Amino acid sequence: MKKIFSIIVLGISLAASAQVMYPSGSDFSKAEYRAFDFWIGEWDVDLKIRNEANEWPVTKQARVKVFPVLKGKAIMELWNEKKEGLDGIRGFSLRYYNNESGKWDLILHWPRPNWGRTAVFQGEEIHGRFDFQTRFPLNDSTFQTVIYRFADISENTLRWQDFYSRDDGTTWTSNWIMEFTRRDKYPKALVDKEAHTYLDGSRCSADQYMTIKNLSEIKSFEWKGENYKATTYKILDGCATLIFGLTASYPIKEKLLLITYNTPEKSFEIIELNNDTKSLDWYRGGFDKRVFSLQEVKTEESLKIKIDSELMSFVAK
């Protein structure tokens, strides 16, 4: 009887664990939301950078951790080069299936020292690979189209490659190839410096980044009338703060906030994503006297975030 009871308890425990990632009856269990699950895990990466002789030597090596977040709605990447110092690469990405467009959205932030810009791509699966694309102006007369491609996907290996065009796709160049080799199927949680790409915070030391770093002590927040308990992480060696929010009331709601600075736009940026079927909200704006004054990029809806004097909570409305 004791053995049978233990098996029942174990079964309940495993079901509960699975439900955290893919809730029972949730839209996130559908195939379109699960198409990128092949990437979940911990990976070793050889980064090949094309040189002037058109050769592809292995230039950098990294440890990458990819997590399911928001109860399985999104896939989050933390990319950490096995090298300390300002020239080591730290990267963040977040991707999820956009129910409105029928494609995948990719949010990307890979800052250089005291310089960063959040980019949003859209992608889809094409013949067993994933292509993510965006287009942005380089100057008044030239646009650059960028494609990030995941291909040669197997259980334990895959390839990522970039492609760039400045003539609307007539010609393309490629500079980076990443070869992924799986270390672990289940990445460790955000519990150590390597996991969340934070070393000593020196990568982004300009004044605007101190505002972002201060938010790493947030314990709770109110967002448009709803109260959330917060778990925060400094990531990208001080260039961004990541906040996970969880409501206490039922049905439980989860929220992910990525707070960064866009150097070309000279503005703070906040990416908001929830564990529902809606797409992200993307805010930009300024900061003064503990208040962010922001506008949503797509709708121009205004948002003010007031931080308390002890930097432990904030109110967004």
Side-chain angles (χ1 to χ4, degrees), residues 270-289:
I270 297 182
I271 296 291
E272 176 200 0
L273 192 64
N274 301 289
N275 68 320
D276 54 29
T277 58
K278 296 179 182 178
S279 58
L280 66 87
D281 285 323
W282 184 10
Y283 299 93
R284 284 182 185 160
F287 180 84
D288 183 50
K289 298 178 180 178

Side-chain angles (χ1 to χ4, degrees), residues 45-292:
V45 178
D46 288 336
L47 171 56
K48 302 176 181 179
I49 301 178
R50 183 171 60 89
N51 61 24
E52 294 180 356
N54 204 31
E55 299 169 333
W56 295 87
V58 175
T59 305
K60 294 177 178 290
Q61 294 181 313
R63 179 76 54 81
V64 175
K65 297 187 178 185
V66 183
F67 306 85
V69 294
L70 299 175
K71 293 192 180 298
K73 174 179 178 174
I75 306 293
M76 184 182 76
E77 170 199 21
L78 291 170
W79 204 102
N80 201 40
E81 185 179 352
K82 296 177 182 178
K83 180 180 181 180
E84 296 191 6
L86 297 182
D87 58 342
I89 299 174
R90 320 292 169 209
F92 168 93
S93 76
L94 185 71
R95 69 206 67 211
Y96 68 97
Y97 178 75
N98 188 323
N99 192 57
E100 299 166 6
S101 67
K103 296 185 178 182
W104 280 73
D105 286 352
L106 164 62
I107 301 97
L108 198 73
H109 198 84
W110 284 46
R112 304 194 298 268
N114 286 324
W115 195 100
R117 175 175 59 194
T118 303
V120 177
F121 292 62
Q122 271 206 325
E124 58 187 331
E125 185 178 6
I126 303 172
H127 304 304
R129 69 171 192 257
F130 281 85
D131 280 0
F132 292 89
Q133 183 169 318
T134 193
R135 188 171 183 264
F136 58 87
L138 290 177
N139 50 52
D140 293 339
S141 60
T142 305
F143 279 80
Q144 180 156 279
T145 303
V146 183
I147 293 177
Y148 290 161
R149 175 172 294 167
F150 287 78
D152 300 333
I153 300 166
S154 70
E155 181 180 358
N156 296 313
T157 59
L158 62 95
R159 168 183 285 211
W160 177 99
Q161 188 168 0
D162 63 7
F163 300 91
Y164 299 90
S165 176
R166 297 185 179 182
D167 54 15
D168 294 323
T170 301
T171 59
W172 295 89
T173 59
S174 180
N175 296 317
W176 282 18
I177 294 174
M178 297 184 198
E179 302 283 2
F180 285 74
T181 303
R182 185 181 297 279
R183 287 181 61 92
D184 198 337
K185 192 172 183 179
Y186 303 103
K188 294 178 182 177
L190 305 177
V191 293
D192 56 41
K193 289 185 177 182
E194 182 183 21
H196 52 75
T197 63
Y198 189 83
L199 300 174
D200 57 11
S202 62
R203 186 177 190 82
C204 289
S205 57
D207 290 345
Q208 60 267 28
Y209 290 104
M210 185 55 64
T211 298
I212 293 171
K213 292 174 187 178
N214 284 341
L215 295 176
S216 64
E217 300 302 320
I218 293 293
K219 304 299 182 186
S220 64
F221 62 90
E222 178 185 325
W223 192 277
K224 299 181 181 179
E226 291 189 302
N227 294 312
Y228 291 80
K229 181 180 178 181
T231 304
T232 61
Y233 300 95
K234 301 179 207 177
I235 62 171
L236 304 177
D237 203 21
C239 301
T241 291
L242 187 64
I243 300 178
F244 291 96
L246 185 70
T247 63
S249 58
Y250 186 83
I252 293 173
K253 296 182 180 180
E254 292 189 23
K255 186 183 297 292
L256 182 151
L257 300 171
L258 174 70
I259 304 170
T260 63
Y261 189 78
N262 187 314
T263 309
E265 297 288 340
K266 297 180 179 179
S267 67
F268 290 91
E269 291 187 319
I270 297 182
I271 296 291
E272 176 200 0
L273 192 64
N274 301 289
N275 68 320
D276 54 29
T277 58
K278 296 179 182 178
S279 58
L280 66 87
D281 285 323
W282 184 10
Y283 299 93
R284 284 182 185 160
F287 180 84
D288 183 50
K289 298 178 180 178
R290 302 201 314 275
V291 177
F292 286 99

